Amino acid sequence: MHNLFDKIISLENLFLAWDAFYKGKKGKEDVELFRMHLEDNIFSLHSQLLSGTWRHGGYENFLISDPKTRQISKASVGDRVAQHAVFRILEPVFDKTFIFDSWSCRVGKGTHKSVLRLHQKLEQLSKTNLDVWILKCDIRKFFENVNQNILFEQIQRKIKDEKTLCLLRSIIFSVPSGLPLGNLTSQLFANIYFNCFDHFVKERLKADIYLRYSDDFVLVSTSKQELENSLLLIRNFLNKKLNLALHPDKISFRKYHWGIDWLGFVLYPNYRVMRRKTYSRMQNKIKSRVNDFLGNKIDYSELRSTLASYDGILQHCSHSETRKHLFCLSKCL
């Protein structure tokens, strides 16, 4: 972990951070303005970081529905490039400390692999046990309620370089409280914040099957009583150590054969399907993209990419008829 600050602010890392940031941002007015003077902007950012004068600026806030209404905080292009530079260097440092079954925003992880992992674990356990119980929980307003001081203390245990800490302090305390949705670093900070909880569940509660994706998590057992006991300890730990609370309406105990809703899919013995609301949104988005294509708003390659993306999602569940429909649609257009 030597020379972390030098690695973060190096010109090579800043240009690589720009490349990572620019993917998917092409055509955005503020991004294209930054790109028009890319070298000058990157060299200016490097100079500010090197001199210690760089400070994270403010945000443009707006609401999105996906389908839940959320406030997204959009930083300036330069600040977002700086975040990418930080993420590129620090993510591998902290990733080594995370448990295997932390699935959000990590290389080689993600939604679909988490769904597959949980389903495989449930199938294995159900072969030798009639009763398989799942406790599913969600943190109440997690990103809004992250305690910035606790987060910074957690980071200080791993990072000792004062220059790097100063850089991270500027990002973390760039909002009055919590973590802003929209920051790339918020995804890493969330995993850092939950890391002690993950280890508590695995090492203190001895949970054999436990998976977390962002602020959603599941525990699996053949005993409902065991899960109820774990829930009491979990509530206490989250409250005392992280100043967090479980969402009271999103705590559920379910038997496997009833179906367990996990990350947009419902898992049953021997098969899984997409959640109805997720499936409906997918169909609406496909219709919208087809209409955009027919109205000459997007080209065929963009539509084909969309169809291929949804086909990839459907491969993870039992929707063979829909996959056939997508295949036929892509051939007909």
Side-chain angles (χ1 to χ4, degrees):
M1 291 195 297
H2 297 293
N3 304 317
L4 282 179
F5 183 73
D6 292 339
K7 291 177 182 178
I8 291 170
I9 72 164
S10 71
L11 285 169
E12 178 186 11
N13 189 49
L14 290 175
F15 276 106
L16 288 172
W18 161 260
D19 290 340
F21 165 75
Y22 188 60
K23 290 178 182 177
K25 302 290 192 305
K26 295 179 182 179
K28 305 288 185 182
E29 184 177 356
D30 55 345
V31 175
E32 295 302 334
L33 283 172
F34 191 95
R35 189 174 72 90
M36 284 176 62
H37 306 284
L38 180 60
E39 289 193 0
D40 288 342
N41 286 324
I42 294 296
F43 275 92
S44 175
L45 178 59
H46 170 72
S47 177
Q48 292 175 50
L49 290 166
L50 182 62
S51 65
T53 59
W54 179 85
R55 294 294 181 272
H56 198 289
Y59 296 86
E60 174 190 348
N61 297 313
F62 56 93
L63 298 177
I64 65 167
S65 297
D66 63 343
K68 187 189 301 182
T69 300
R70 303 173 186 270
Q71 177 176 290
I72 301 297
S73 299
K74 179 183 174 184
S76 70
V77 173
D79 287 349
R80 283 182 281 166
V81 172
Q83 288 184 39
H84 273 266
V86 168
F87 187 90
R88 279 181 45 79
I89 302 304
L90 293 192
E91 193 274 338
V93 172
F94 282 97
D95 191 76
K96 297 174 184 177
T97 70
F98 299 154
I99 67 167
F100 181 85
D101 281 310
S102 165
W103 289 90
S104 176
C105 305
R106 296 177 64 194
V107 176
K109 303 288 183 174
T111 303
H112 300 134
K113 289 187 177 180
S114 179
V115 170
L116 181 61
R117 167 83 167 176
L118 178 58
H119 206 184
Q120 288 176 334
K121 289 288 186 180
L122 290 170
E123 288 291 279
Q124 291 170 1
L125 192 60
S126 65
K127 287 179 180 177
T128 54
N129 296 273
L130 291 177
D131 285 338
V132 175
W133 284 93
I134 302 112
L135 167 62
K136 181 186 172 189
C137 300
D138 181 299
I139 303 297
R140 184 178 181 275
K141 295 183 178 180
F142 167 68
F143 283 93
E144 296 176 34
N145 290 321
V146 165
N147 184 299
Q148 295 170 338
N149 291 312
I150 292 175
L151 171 62
F152 193 72
E153 288 171 5
Q154 291 172 327
I155 290 172
Q156 282 182 302
R157 296 189 191 114
K158 187 71 175 175
I159 305 298
K160 304 301 181 182
D161 172 31
E162 188 54 43
K163 289 183 178 180
T164 301
L165 289 173
C166 183
L167 185 57
L168 295 174
R169 189 182 292 112
S170 182
I171 297 173
I172 292 169
F173 294 98
S174 62
V175 290
S177 62
L179 293 175
L181 284 171
N183 277 5
L184 174 67
T185 48
S186 292
Q187 301 171 1
L188 173 60
F189 293 155
N191 280 334
I192 293 171
Y193 201 76
F194 267 121
N195 194 31
C196 62
F197 173 69
D198 293 338
H199 283 279
F200 169 76
V201 174
K202 293 296 292 183
E203 296 159 16
R204 294 286 298 279
L205 300 186
K206 304 295 183 183
D208 183 42
I209 304 176
Y210 161 76
L211 288 83
R212 181 181 60 80
Y213 190 96
S214 188
D215 58 341
D216 294 327
F217 60 90
V218 291
L219 285 84
V220 180
S221 175
T222 55
S223 166
K224 184 181 181 183
Q225 183 62 55
E226 181 181 293
L227 292 178
E228 289 174 341
N229 294 339
S230 294
L231 179 60
L232 294 173
L233 297 171
I234 284 170
R235 284 184 190 275
N236 185 59
F237 183 94
L238 289 171
N239 178 258
K240 288 188 174 181
K241 298 291 186 181
L242 298 177
N243 285 359
L244 296 175
L246 296 175
H247 195 302
D249 300 328
K250 296 184 178 180
I251 300 170
S252 67
F253 291 92
R254 294 187 64 82
K255 284 189 175 182
Y256 178 33
H257 69 265
W258 297 347
I260 174 65
D261 187 332
W262 180 240
L263 303 181
F265 294 84
V266 184
L267 314 182
Y268 295 95
N270 302 316
Y271 75 101
R272 54 187 174 268
V273 296
M274 193 178 287
R275 186 194 299 157
R276 287 183 180 179
K277 289 183 179 179
T278 306
Y279 188 60
S280 178
R281 288 202 305 275
M282 182 195 74
Q283 289 179 312
N284 290 334
K285 287 181 180 179
I286 290 172
K287 289 177 183 177
S288 177
R289 295 296 277 177
V290 169
N291 288 333
D292 286 345
F293 170 71
L294 295 176
N296 297 317
K297 294 180 181 179
I298 61 172
D299 60 26
Y300 178 69
S301 64
E302 290 179 272
L303 175 60
R304 189 72 180 268
S305 176
T306 297
L307 296 178
S309 174
Y310 283 121
D311 181 63
I313 294 172
L314 291 167
Q315 288 182 38
H316 297 276
C317 53
S318 306
H319 289 287
S320 58
E321 289 303 314
T322 306
R323 288 195 67 201
K324 289 178 184 177
H325 178 67
L326 284 181
F327 178 77
C328 291
L329 184 60
S330 65
K331 291 296 183 182
C332 292
L333 291 171

